[in-house]
């Protein structure tokens, strides 16, 4: 790669046989590029580049300048070492976070009855009170304002545990900690705003929400038509704003609303700040920061997100006067709202929503995996049936993958980084994989999954899945527009500098320099593709499984980096080539997930049997990266470049395949028996202390069922009857099994008596025409 003007040609090799060819390619690349780097590109080339390269809008510039770049830049550079990840990143809960998870969060989970919550379409009053009084709304708030001061990892673990018990409670707690105005106030609020609002938010006195989405602006939030004009009324500088927001979580009960709108100043009344997207904080009642309140502000009407039961609704107002004191940061922050949003709200997208996907996956690993061991058909546990094992193995691999991704991202945050590209990958991958795990789980539990009621532990996670997929940037657009689109511009070592040189309009020297660097970068990764492609053929899988997969990812990283450079030939057209951008995103996302899996395995390699799960997970990631890159090559619109990409990246054709049956069977076994792997994958799943709770029953039954089945098998082999102790265990297991296979049934549903008199037939059958019947 090239960092600034310093050239680094040390590729590193996986094994010695490739060294010679590697050196030859490097020298050839240097020789070929030397004349190009000495000459200046002519004016027509520069003029053409100004036409084809993407223009960066103000909102895009804000997104590109927000947060930080993390190790995804090494993926675009084509060279990442696992050792760097292992030595740089680590994460663990603090003593305070662990205590909160073990105590307050456990108490809250025990209070939750998701079936009743969905019946009532609200959390019970005592749950609202407990959440607010015990600091759940202020988990990430700094301690100086009365918050708990939790890390991203602590925040994620609380949401994850709640999510396995109640998606409604998890969503309610997540919003103030990730999408609410608290983070904006903490970073940009005036001293008066901070001193008034932050302690109240931390204490749960105020309930926040944030209004960004409107009827015309969903994923394209910057296109909002909510508008305000700077005015001065009765000696007070303010704004007249008309707005209509929808899908706003907590809006129906919020006492303070963050509002984003486009501000104009036709009369030039602003003395500081500027026109543009602005963020204001609107209290529902007058307070010291807004003494007159906000007359005309309307909240309260609710949406019904699939009956899950969390508060979600509208925020509206017509020609509402908002004093300048309500703008977060005051007048000086007018017009800087988009920058503020990009800087503060992206981190939450990588924590709260992924935690929901992890929660669903872990719940499936524990409860569905256990159910498959307990439930019998044809006199054998369904966990022994290959059709079921296929789905259980997917649940096991997915749980490992999303747990690894979550821990990796939280470790990145703990390192002081705030990477929006990785945040987008996290949101997309964890919610998508959580959806797959939940669907597989529903297939395994069958009728027990579709019969709603207190015994059903999976239906709410299943129903809530589309909510996670949709919010905070719909996954379809996150994949096709954001992950690679933002990642390429932001994380490629040279592209942004080249674009900036082009947009200056008169920077021929800068254009020449950075275009030369991009060409060298492509040549470097071309060499890596060839040498690493040869080296992996000589890398054995046995003996060092992590080393084997690190070599595979090293080769695929170079392949991806080269294909990304080839994609630059499309210029600005790449922004709208969403089929291609989606495939690039698939490759980038699976590279992140693959390296996260290797990193996570290194941190937990003491867990017996975990290597089998790593093997299946990495098999899937390598296959998905290959298919994404081959899909790029097959559909690249510029003639010859597609076949060239394929010839360089996969000269031998497809080399990676889906997991083998033996891999799946072993992962299914590890998930459905009392193993260290099962214990790791089901960490942080809430299990009620009530013995009538279905997840509690399944948790207790797994080891008991395995023990009882072992006794029965031994008795059959020895052709003997069980001993008294063996029979006790068998009877206990059978009694628990009988409880677990039951489902809910209700005398009536929906308040209607289905056996009422009106169901009686009031008509009779007339005489049968036997002659006509016989003719037919």
């Amino acid at each position: 790669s090239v960092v600034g003007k310093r050239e680094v040609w040390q590729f590193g090799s996986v094994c010695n046989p490739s060294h010679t060819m590697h050196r030859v390619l490097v020298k050839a690349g240097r020789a070929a590029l030397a004349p190009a780097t000495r000459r200046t590109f002519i004016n027509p080339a520069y003029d053409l580049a100004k036409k084809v390269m993407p223009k960066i809008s103000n909102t895009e510039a804000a997104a590109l300048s927000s947060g930080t770049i993390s190790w995804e830049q090494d993926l675009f550079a084509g060279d990442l070492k696992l050792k760097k990840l292992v030595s740089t990143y680590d994460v663990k809960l603090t003593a305070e976070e662990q205590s909160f998870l073990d105590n307050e969060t456990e108490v809250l989970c025990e209070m939750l009855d998701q079936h009743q919550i969905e019946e009532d379409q609200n959390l019970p009053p005592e749950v609202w009170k407990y959440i607010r009084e015990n600091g759940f709304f202020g988990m990430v708030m700094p301690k100086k304002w009365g918050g708990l001061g939790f890390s991203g990892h602590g925040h994620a673990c609380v949401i994850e545990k709640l999510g396995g018990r109640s998606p409604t409670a998890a969503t309610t707690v997540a919003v103030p900690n990730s999408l609410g105005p608290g983070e904006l106030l903490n970073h940009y609020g005036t001293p008066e705003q901070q001193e008034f609002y932050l302690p109240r938010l931390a204490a749960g006195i105020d309930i926040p929400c944030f209004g960004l989405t409107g009827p015309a602006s969903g994923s394209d939030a910057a296109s909002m038509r909510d508008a305000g004009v700077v005015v001065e009324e009765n000696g007070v500088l303010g704004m007249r704003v008309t707005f209509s927001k929808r899908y706003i979580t907590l809006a129906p009960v919020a006492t303070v609303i963050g509002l984003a709108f486009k501000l104009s100043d036709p009369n030039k009344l602003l003395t500081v700040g500027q026109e543009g997207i602005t963020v204001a904080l609107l209290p529902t009642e007058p307070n010291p920061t807004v003494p007159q309140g906000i007359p005309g502000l309307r909240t309260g009407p609710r949406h019904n997100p699939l009956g899950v039961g969390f508060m979600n609704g509208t925020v509206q107002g017509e020609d509402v006067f908002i004093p300048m004191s309500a703008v977060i940061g005051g007048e000086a922050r007018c017009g800087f709202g988009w920058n503020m949003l990009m800087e503060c709200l992206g981190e939450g997208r990588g924590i709260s929503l992924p935690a929901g996907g992890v929660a669903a996956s872990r719940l499936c690993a524990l409860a569905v995996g256990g159910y498959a061991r307990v439930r019998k058909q044809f006199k054998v546990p369904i966990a022994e049936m290959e059709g079921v094992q296929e789905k259980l193995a997917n649940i096991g691999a997915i749980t490992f993958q999303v747990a690894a991704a979550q821990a990796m991202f939280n470790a990145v945050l703990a390192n002081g980084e705030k990477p929006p590209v990785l945040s987008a990958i996290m949101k997309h991958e964890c919610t998508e994989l959580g959806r797959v795990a939940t669907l597989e789980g529903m297939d395994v539990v069958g009728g027990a999954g579709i019969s709603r009621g207190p015994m059903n532990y999976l239906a709410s996670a299943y129903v809530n899945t589309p909510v996670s997929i949709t919010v905070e940037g719909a996954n379809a657009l996150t994949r096709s527009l954001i992950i690679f689109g933002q990642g390429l511009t932001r994380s490629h070592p040279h592209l942004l500098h080249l674009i900036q040189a082009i947009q200056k309009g008169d920077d021929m020297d800068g254009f020449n320099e950075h275009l030369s660097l991009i060409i060298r970068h492509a040549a470097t990764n071309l060499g890596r593709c060839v040498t690493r492609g040869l080296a992996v053929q000589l890398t054995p899988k046995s003996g060092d499984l992590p080393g084997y997969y690190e070599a595979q990812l090293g080769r695929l990283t170079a392949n991806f980096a080269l294909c990304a450079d080839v994609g630059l030939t499309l210029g600005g057209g790449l922004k709208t080539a969403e089929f291609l951008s989606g495939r690039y995103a698939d490759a980038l996302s699976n590279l992140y997930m693959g390296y996260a899996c290797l990193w996570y395995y290194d941190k937990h390699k003491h867990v017996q049997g975990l290597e089998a799960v790593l093997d299946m997970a990495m098999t899937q990631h390598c296959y998905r990266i290959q298919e994404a890159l081959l899909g790029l090559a097959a559909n690249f619109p510029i003639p010859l470049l597609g076949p060239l990409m394929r010839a360089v990246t996969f000269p031998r054709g497809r080399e990676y395949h889906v997991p083998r049956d033996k891999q799946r069977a072993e992962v299914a076994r590890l998930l459905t028996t009392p193993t260290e792997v099962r214990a790791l994958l089901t960490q942080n799943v809430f299990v009620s202390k009530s013995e009538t709770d279905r997840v509690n029953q399944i948790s207790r039954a797994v080891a008991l069922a395995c023990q009882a089945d072992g006794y029965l098998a031994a008795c059959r082999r020895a052709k003997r009857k069980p001993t008294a102790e063996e029979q006790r265990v068998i009877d206990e297991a059978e009694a628990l099994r009988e409880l677990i296979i039951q489902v809910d049934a209700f005398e009536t549903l929906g308040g209607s008596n289905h056996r009422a008199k009106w169901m009686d037939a009031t008509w009779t059958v007339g005489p049968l025409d036997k002659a006509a019947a016989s003719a037919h």
Side-chain angles (χ1 to χ4, degrees), residues 518-654:
I518 286 178
I519 294 173
R520 292 189 178 203
H521 182 262
T524 299
N525 282 304
L526 173 63
R528 288 187 178 129
C529 288
V530 175
T531 56
R532 292 180 182 178
L534 290 173
V536 296
Q537 309 304 323
L538 304 174
T539 305
K541 187 174 183 180
S542 59
D544 182 10
L545 190 69
Y548 169 81
Y549 279 117
E550 184 183 3
Q552 305 303 323
L553 286 186
R555 180 257 186 108
L556 293 170
T557 298
N559 287 357
F560 165 77
L562 177 65
C563 291
D565 285 343
V566 174
L568 298 181
T569 59
L570 295 175
L574 189 56
K575 290 179 67 174
T576 56
E578 294 179 33
F579 284 133
L580 297 182
S581 182
R583 293 187 181 97
Y584 276 118
D586 291 341
L588 177 59
S589 298
N590 278 279
L591 282 169
Y592 168 79
M593 298 291 289
Y595 275 109
C597 285
L598 290 176
W599 172 86
Y600 189 73
Y601 174 82
D602 188 85
K603 304 292 182 181
H604 297 87
K605 55 190 174 186
H606 60 279
V607 174
Q608 187 174 356
L610 192 59
E611 195 170 84
V613 186
L614 174 71
D615 190 18
M616 179 172 170
M618 294 304 300
T619 299
Q620 290 177 328
H621 288 310
C622 289
Y623 175 76
R624 291 167 188 163
I625 297 165
Q626 168 190 263
E627 293 306 297
L629 296 181
L630 288 176
L632 280 171
N635 292 276
F636 204 77
I638 298 179
L640 300 181
L641 286 185
L644 178 62
M645 278 196 289
R646 178 176 182 129
V648 173
T649 56
F650 297 101
R652 300 172 65 246
R654 281 178 167 80

Side-chain angles (χ1 to χ4, degrees), residues 392-456:
L392 293 169
N394 284 339
I395 292 172
I398 286 171
T399 306
F400 176 77
Q401 289 162 338
V402 296
Q406 180 192 53
M408 179 80 256
F409 184 76
N410 292 347
V412 168
L413 295 180
N415 198 47
E417 303 167 35
K418 293 185 176 182
V421 175
L422 295 189
S423 179
I425 291 173
M426 281 292 295
K427 192 273 176 176
H428 180 270
E429 289 299 304
C430 290
T431 55
E432 287 290 342
L433 290 173
R435 168 160 62 179
V436 175
T438 306
L439 289 173
E440 300 285 42
M442 290 290 286
D443 284 353
V444 172
V445 299
I450 62 175
S451 298
R452 299 302 298 263
M455 297 181 191
N456 192 324

